[in-house]
Amino acid sequence: MSVIDTTLRERLNRRIEGLREAREIKPGRPSVETETIRNYHARARADGFVFDADEPVSKVGGTGTAPRPLRYFLAGFAFCLQAQYVRNAIRMGIDLDELAVDVESEIDRRGGLGLRDEPADFESISYTTTLGTDADESEVRELVAAAESRCYVHGTLSRAVDLDGTTVVNGSPLDR
């Protein structure tokens, strides 16, 4: 059973065509509002949703009541990439029985503690996209290329950090 509703194809194509024909396309302006509740515990509001971030109890002042902030950052990357897989699978008429993105990263913890001269940053981010589909390999390659090139976070991260992606299709790695 497909996790993608390809019946949305006509609606998506109308939206894309409407934007293509528009005299002006206003920039998107994603935003989030945050506040500190206490110590590391913070609350965010976005799109009518409220969600919290915290640090584990092992951090001085952490209460372990919510995921750590960097987890949201990595999840945001995965969610953005998944959205592009969905959008492009719909556009291309590809059924996906499975779609998952797992993200791993490496940081130099000294940066966040002020124990090195360089600013804190990610040393590397790697991700594995898992797809289950009956589409042929050339269609899958086109889908991967479209999703990665149209994902705002992927585009930004690929210019900022060593970003390494792997795609697994029906249990087998896709050679790039």
Side-chain angles (χ1 to χ4, degrees):
M1 181 171 137
S2 181
V3 296
I4 306 295
D5 184 357
T6 56
T7 64
L8 298 172
R9 188 176 187 180
E10 183 179 319
R11 186 172 159 195
L12 177 61
N13 286 339
R14 280 195 312 265
R15 171 114 170 101
I16 291 170
E17 197 56 37
L19 288 171
R20 184 176 286 133
E21 294 173 358
R23 289 188 182 143
E24 176 186 6
I25 298 177
K26 295 179 181 176
R29 301 200 189 287
S31 64
V32 176
E33 297 172 0
T34 68
E35 63 177 314
T36 299
I37 303 301
R38 180 164 169 73
N39 295 333
Y40 296 110
H41 185 186
R43 181 157 293 143
R45 288 176 177 74
D47 299 331
F49 295 95
V50 176
F51 50 100
D52 290 7
D54 199 354
E55 292 285 351
V57 175
S58 62
K59 300 269 183 164
V60 176
T63 61
T65 60
R68 293 172 167 189
L70 291 181
R71 290 0 177 234
Y72 282 103
F73 179 84
L74 298 173
F77 166 48
F79 289 152
C80 187
L81 187 57
Q82 284 174 292
Q84 287 299 335
Y85 270 99
V86 169
R87 181 172 291 122
N88 287 284
I90 291 169
R91 184 182 59 79
M92 297 168 65
I94 294 175
D95 284 326
L96 294 177
D97 298 323
E98 181 181 9
L99 169 58
V101 178
D102 297 331
V103 183
E104 296 182 6
S105 68
E106 185 173 314
I107 57 174
D108 181 340
R109 297 169 92 188
R110 296 174 300 169
L113 298 170
L115 300 176
R116 67 177 196 179
D117 292 335
E118 298 85 18
D121 63 354
F122 283 87
E123 300 291 314
S124 64
I125 298 175
S126 62
Y127 63 97
T128 300
T129 303
T130 303
L131 304 173
T133 184
D134 290 333
D136 64 46
E137 187 175 316
S138 66
E139 290 176 307
V140 171
R141 287 182 186 286
E142 184 181 343
L143 176 62
V144 170
E148 290 182 351
S149 70
R150 295 174 180 159
C151 173
Y152 294 101
V153 181
H154 187 283
T156 301
L157 289 177
S158 66
R159 290 190 304 266
V161 68
D162 178 20
L163 185 61
D164 181 33
T166 301
T167 304
V168 176
V169 181
N170 303 325
S172 299
L174 181 69
D175 292 331
R176 292 205 189 201

